[in-house]
Every structure is written in structure tokens, then in C-alpha cells.
Amino acid sequence: MRYLSTRGQAPNLSFKQVLLTGLARDGGLYVPAKWPRFSPSEWRNLAGRPYGELAEAVITPFIGDDFTKAEIATVLREAYAAFKHPAIAPLKQLGPTDFVLELFHGPTLAFKDYALQVLGRFFDLTLRQEKRRAVILGATSGDTGSAAIEACRQCEALTVFILYPKGRMSDFQRRQMTTVTGKNVYAVAVEGSFDDAQDCVKALFNDLAFRDQMGLAAINSINWARIMAQIVYYAYAALSLGAPDREIDFAVPTGNFGNIYAGFVAREMGLPIGLLALATNRNDVMARVLASGEMSLRPVEESLSPSMDIQISSNFERLLFDMFDRDGGQLAAEMEKFRKNGKMVLADNGSESPMAQMRKIFTGLRVDDATTVKTMQKIYRDTGEILDPHSAIAVHAMSHHARRQERLAKHVPMVALACAHPAKFAATVEQAIGVTAPPPPHLAHLAEKPERLYTVAATPTAVKEFMLAHVQN
Ligand SMILES: *Cc1c(COP(=O)(O)O)cnc(C)c1O
């Protein structure tokens, strides 16, 4: 499989190169040259298989010959062995057509583990094969950081730098990163928002001399391999509920658009995914795009769901690439205008226009903090399930999105993605429902461990200096 940049200028790469590259050198994101498509009978054959077997089938066409069948199988077996539930991604029923997919049974209790456990092992394998070192640089709004550190800390060929917005994550989230020991891992607080931290990361990736000097690699969802691994749980849930012979809808709590974009790819691979309900908190840039066709920036505001406190949804560019019929030149021009003016207007003129195509598949909903809390209370009262605030946003969108009545009339099941364990947001959960959500045993003593704290200004220069002072090689 070859990979293209969404901005059409960077060289085409193989899977292994994309894995280690992250952002394309023209500022774009890498996507496969073509979507692998399975026939209904191929999908039917995969129904009922264990998660790891399904993963192997879904992932292999994206890798091509870059890894052997045996290497892929080993990476996946070891990755999913780190999960604490035998189903890996268990599906629970909340109502006649309503389900939640629990994506928090990995080592750090958020859905990021489903991709990063795989990604970290592919990194390790590649660096060992090529006898080289690399430096991971990423920004986190809360959950990516710990998942990346957990996935990469055993890899001696890597130094990992994770930037997080100072004071904007839950204590549990911060401690998951700052209590990790090891010379090759640095969690660094940035004096700014997630978008500020992400801007520093993008600036350093675009500093090509520094990028080459360090051997920078990305673990954010700008890394294609993360999207790839996330397709698997959409397929797993859809096949469990009757696909390919029945349509399935999903509701997805959205920040950087990486998770929901994997749902779009699953649909391109031939699964009958009808609707993707995109749920945001008050940082509603993507809900506004779907409503108005206009993408415009607003400052990030803090909410009860910090992992979604994002106003620049990087992976949206990947969707736009397809909506612009894969015209990288046109997309590059639009992105440049957006960078200059802070605004992009998407055409909505006729059934083939980008907005019309998007609205066939996506519907958007903004969920405020009060509604998030009410949803946590209602679901706990009605079903006994304890939801974390991010999952509650998806569950609210499941029952309140604009096309709910039409989909109910067709008896289409909907799956809300539960992206974090409630223990990660214990204070919010306790305030909402008066119940303490204890963490699983392997994280029970987090509060007692010593933290390593570093702080830098939210500028690329400050981050660069920190990295140069601490990189291992
Ligand atoms: C990362 C994260 C999100 C947002 O996912 P994106 O891929 O950035 O859209 C939502 N909820 C939780 C719990 C997360 O960790």
C-alpha cells in the first residue's frame, strides 16, 4: 500500500515510512492511496472472530509487504494481551437499539490504548530492524500522553516527549504520565491550552532540520497507524450487531476527529455504517462545521470532558481530502486560507458538494456540561452503568441527534463509544452521581507515587531547548 499526502506535494510513502513520519513534509497528513474494500461475504466470514483475528484481517491490507504476516500477528497478539477484558472491546446494551462499546480496558483506561499499544510495537520492531533511534513528540489533551508513554516506554530506541496543557487535565490523567519512571520518558507541562501545545508540535515537525536531526516520530492521530488500528473496533461492534446484513450507526465523542474518522474509513471498507453522530462538548468547532459549513476558530474553553477541549480538529483534513475528490492542490489552498484567515467555508451547492456528502454520513451535536452531568445521572439511574463525562456526551448524542426518529423507525442499532474509564474522571463522576468509581487494581496506587514535573513556555523554541537538553542518544 502506498500513502499520499492530503496536500499533494510530499513524496508517496510506504506504510513503514508513514509510521515513522507522522506529518507529511508539505504539512499534510498521509492517507492510503486507495481504500481496501471487503465484500459482504468477506465481512460475514469475520463475524464472531476474536478481536485479534479480526484486527489482523482489517490491518493487513494497509501494511502491504512492509511487515510479514508473522510479524503482524506477533505485534497484535502482544498488543491485545495488555488489555484487561477478554472481549478487548465489550459491547453493552443500554436500550432496545442503544449500545455502548467499552473502549477503556487497556492499560491506561482510554480508547487511545487500542491504537497506541499496536503503534508502539510497530515502532519498536521497525527501529530494531533498521538499527536506529527515534524521538517521539506529541501533545495530549489528557489521554494520548499516558497511552503513548505506556506503549513506548519499553522501547529503548525511543525518547518520548509529551506536552500537556498545564492544569487542564484530571489529577489521575496527569499522574498517569508524571509517575512513570524511566530516562526515556518526559511529560512536560506547557503554559497554554492543548491547541497551543499541538501548535508547538506542528511547528517542530515543520522545522525540517530539527525533525531530521532528532528523527522525530508522531504518536498523535496525525499518525496514520493510529487511525488504522481504530478501524478494528468499529468493525468488531458492527459485525457483532449484524453487519454486513444490517446497518449500524455510531455516536462518537470528538476532539481531534481521529476516532470518528476511523469510523468513516470502516464505512469506506464496505461496512454498512449508516450514520456517524459527532458529539462535542462546548468546544464545538466540528458541530458548527456540520451545521453551517463554516470552520472558524474560537478560543478553547475548559469543560468537564478535557480530552475533547480542542478547537483544531487535525484529522478533519483527511476527511476533506476525500470530500474534495482527493485534490491535494485544492485542499492545500483551502488550508492555507484557513491558516491566514482562521476561517474556511465549505461549498454546499448540489448533492456532490463537500457539505452535502458530509451531511449524508455525519450529524453533529454539541453537549454542554449540565447535559453531560444529567446524562451520567440518568444512565446510572436507569441501567446502573457509570459513564465518564466523555462517554456521557456520546450517549446523549445517541438519543438526541437530529436524525434519531428516522433511524429508530428503521430499527437501526446505534453504538456510543465509551472512550474512558470513569475512574479517570473520579471527581466529576462523584459529583454527578455520588458514587466513587475505583480504578482497576493495576492503577490503585497512583496517588501515592512521586511525580516528575517539568514546565515550559508554550513556544516551539522553549520546547526545542527542553528536548535538546534531555534527549537520550
Ligand atoms: C482522545 C479522546 C477523545 C477525542 O478523540 P479524537 O480522536 O481526538 O476525536 C474523546 N474522549 C476521550 C476519553 C479521549 O481520550
Side-chain angles (χ1 to χ4, degrees):
M1 177 68 82
R2 299 300 291 175
Y3 286 81
L4 321 172
S5 164
T6 51
R7 300 201 190 168
Q9 294 298 313
N12 293 358
L13 300 181
S14 71
F15 175 78
K16 215 183 249 186
Q17 291 168 316
V18 163
L19 176 74
L20 290 172
T21 300
L23 202 63
R25 295 177 93 88
D26 58 6
L29 306 183
Y30 276 104
V31 290
K34 177 166 166 281
W35 296 124
R37 232 183 138 78
F38 296 175
S39 69
S41 72
E42 285 172 313
W43 281 121
R44 219 170 278 127
N45 276 332
L46 292 169
R49 301 277 188 92
Y51 194 89
E53 271 182 48
L54 175 64
E56 202 177 321
V58 168
I59 285 173
T60 298
F62 291 104
I63 295 178
D65 301 328
D66 278 20
F67 293 105
T68 66
K69 203 171 153 31
E71 285 167 346
I72 297 172
T74 305
V75 161
L76 295 176
R77 191 179 58 246
E78 289 176 358
Y80 300 129
F83 286 69
K84 314 288 180 198
H85 193 294
I88 311 298
L91 196 56
K92 281 197 181 158
Q93 189 158 10
L94 292 187
T97 58
D98 294 350
F99 296 82
V100 285
L101 186 67
E102 291 187 349
L103 297 175
F104 51 70
H105 295 284
T108 72
L109 314 184
F111 86 93
K112 288 2 186 238
D113 288 324
Y114 290 74
L116 283 165
Q117 284 294 316
V118 173
L119 189 78
R121 286 175 172 82
F122 275 130
F123 270 144
D124 192 31
L125 181 60
T126 308
L127 295 173
R128 274 190 286 124
Q129 285 173 345
E130 299 186 353
K131 296 193 176 43
R132 49 172 283 209
R133 306 188 56 83
V135 171
I136 298 272
L137 172 62
T140 185
S141 58
D143 297 319
T144 299
S146 55
I149 288 171
E150 187 58 36
C152 297
R153 70 195 172 95
Q154 308 289 3
C155 179
E156 286 167 8
L158 284 174
T159 309
V160 183
F161 294 95
I162 300 293
L163 310 182
Y164 64 91
K166 189 172 184 174
R168 305 226 189 161
M169 304 190 304
S170 74
D171 285 354
F172 191 92
Q173 286 180 309
R174 188 192 65 249
R175 290 183 153 276
Q176 280 186 298
M177 297 194 292
T178 56
T179 60
V180 173
T181 54
K183 287 203 305 278
N184 65 334
V185 172
Y186 295 90
V188 185
V190 163
E191 314 214 46
S193 70
F194 167 76
D195 285 347
D196 297 330
Q198 178 81 321
D199 279 346
C200 289
V201 170
K202 283 189 183 161
L204 294 178
F205 269 87
N206 284 325
D207 179 343
L208 298 182
F210 180 68
R211 176 168 165 178
D212 292 341
Q213 173 197 352
M214 287 273 150
L216 280 194
I219 42 76
N220 289 64
S221 50
I222 56 175
N223 191 314
W224 164 258
R226 265 188 66 181
I227 307 291
M228 175 186 80
Q230 289 169 188
I231 302 164
V232 180
Y233 50 73
Y234 284 93
Y236 189 65
L239 295 173
S240 300
L241 291 173
D245 302 300
R246 187 187 190 198
E247 252 192 305
I248 316 286
D249 295 343
F250 287 89
V252 187
T254 294
N256 222 351
F257 205 77
N259 197 359
I260 198 164
Y261 178 70
F264 170 79
V265 178
R267 186 176 185 277
E268 293 296 313
M269 290 182 76
L271 284 167
I273 294 172
L275 191 65
L276 292 165
L278 179 156
T280 72
N281 62 25
R282 73 174 67 169
N283 298 290
D284 60 351
V285 59
M286 289 311 307
R288 284 187 285 118
V289 169
L290 286 166
S292 68
E294 195 176 295
M295 181 157 73
S296 57
L297 290 185
R298 294 195 185 154
V300 179
E301 291 177 18
E302 292 178 48
S303 76
L304 291 179
S305 43
S307 305
M308 296 157 66
D309 289 348
I310 293 174
Q311 288 280 13
I312 303 173
S313 299
S314 307
N315 278 287
F316 185 49
E317 179 166 345
R318 287 192 160 111
L319 180 71
L320 283 178
F321 186 59
D322 275 18
M323 298 301 130
F324 286 7
D325 296 323
R326 304 202 140 207
D327 180 343
Q330 192 195 349
L331 184 52
E334 289 292 341
M335 294 306 296
E336 183 52 29
K337 267 193 264 167
F338 179 62
R339 197 186 60 79
K340 272 207 198 116
N341 313 330
K343 192 166 132 178
M344 181 190 290
V345 182
L346 294 162
D348 189 6
N349 49 355
S351 62
E352 294 311 309
S353 68
M355 276 319 296
Q357 289 184 63
M358 253 185 288
R359 287 191 180 124
K360 271 186 227 152
I361 310 169
F362 294 91
T363 178
L365 196 70
R366 168 195 205 269
V367 183
D368 62 23
D369 280 351
T371 309
T372 305
V373 168
K374 272 193 210 133
T375 307
M376 292 163 76
Q377 292 166 342
K378 175 170 171 27
I379 296 296
Y380 183 63
R381 206 168 51 231
D382 293 353
T383 71
E385 291 298 323
I386 303 178
L387 297 176
D388 98 281
H390 306 75
S391 309
I393 286 176
V395 167
H396 177 79
M398 171 156 71
S399 49
H400 290 81
H401 68 81
R403 289 171 59 188
R404 172 74 166 175
Q405 291 315 316
E406 167 210 328
R407 303 307 280 170
L408 276 183
K410 291 185 178 161
H411 313 292
V412 180
M414 190 166 220
V415 180
L417 302 190
C419 290
H421 191 290
K424 284 196 110 159
F425 303 95
T428 306
V429 170
E430 193 157 345
Q431 261 185 356
I433 62 172
V435 169
T436 327
H442 73 283
L443 290 167
H445 300 292
L446 208 56
E448 295 139 38
K449 292 187 179 165
E451 291 188 84
R452 283 193 302 171
L453 296 171
Y454 304 97
T455 304
V456 299
T459 64
T461 315
V463 174
K464 192 170 173 174
E465 276 169 15
F466 184 90
M467 291 174 71
L468 287 168
H470 293 90
V471 69
Q472 309 285 308
N473 42 32

